[in-house]
Amino acid sequence: ASDVYKRQLYKTGLLYIKLENANQALAYYNLVIEIEKNNPTFIEGRGDIYSLLNEKANALKDYELALKLNPDNLSLKNKKDK
């Protein structure tokens, strides 16, 4: 998939977060992660959505994976430790 398509999926997911529609945002994040499985930004974003949905175990799983892919991300370390 093209970078433009991936970016559009990601931005649409962000828009749904702003519109407070976490379930729809999650659907878009899942789509973009299917295309680019090892992008820590996308995975962290999905973790944030899981956190909004009170799905703490899924959020932690995504935060841990994103941190493994990007170990220098300090804000991600803080999210994981909460």
Side-chain angles (χ1 to χ4, degrees):
S2 75
D3 286 342
V4 172
Y5 180 65
K6 289 183 281 190
R7 195 168 37 251
Q8 283 305 114
L9 289 174
Y10 176 68
K11 287 182 176 182
T12 303
L14 287 174
L15 177 64
Y16 276 111
I17 291 170
K18 290 179 183 178
L19 294 173
E20 298 181 3
N21 187 336
N23 288 313
Q24 196 65 35
L26 182 60
Y28 278 91
Y29 272 78
N30 284 335
L31 284 172
V32 76
I33 290 169
E34 275 183 40
I35 296 166
E36 193 168 329
K37 293 179 181 10
N38 292 319
N39 184 309
T41 301
F42 300 159
I43 295 167
E44 179 183 359
R46 186 175 66 182
D48 292 343
I49 296 167
Y50 281 133
S51 186
L52 287 172
L53 292 170
N54 256 352
E55 294 185 27
K56 302 300 183 194
N58 285 329
L60 183 59
K61 185 173 130 183
D62 274 353
Y63 291 154
E64 288 173 346
L65 176 57
L67 194 55
K68 183 177 175 182
L69 296 167
N70 185 8
D72 296 327
N73 185 329
L74 295 177
S75 70
L76 188 52
K77 287 179 184 177
N78 291 334
K79 289 178 186 180
K80 184 186 151 289
D81 293 337
K82 282 186 180 180

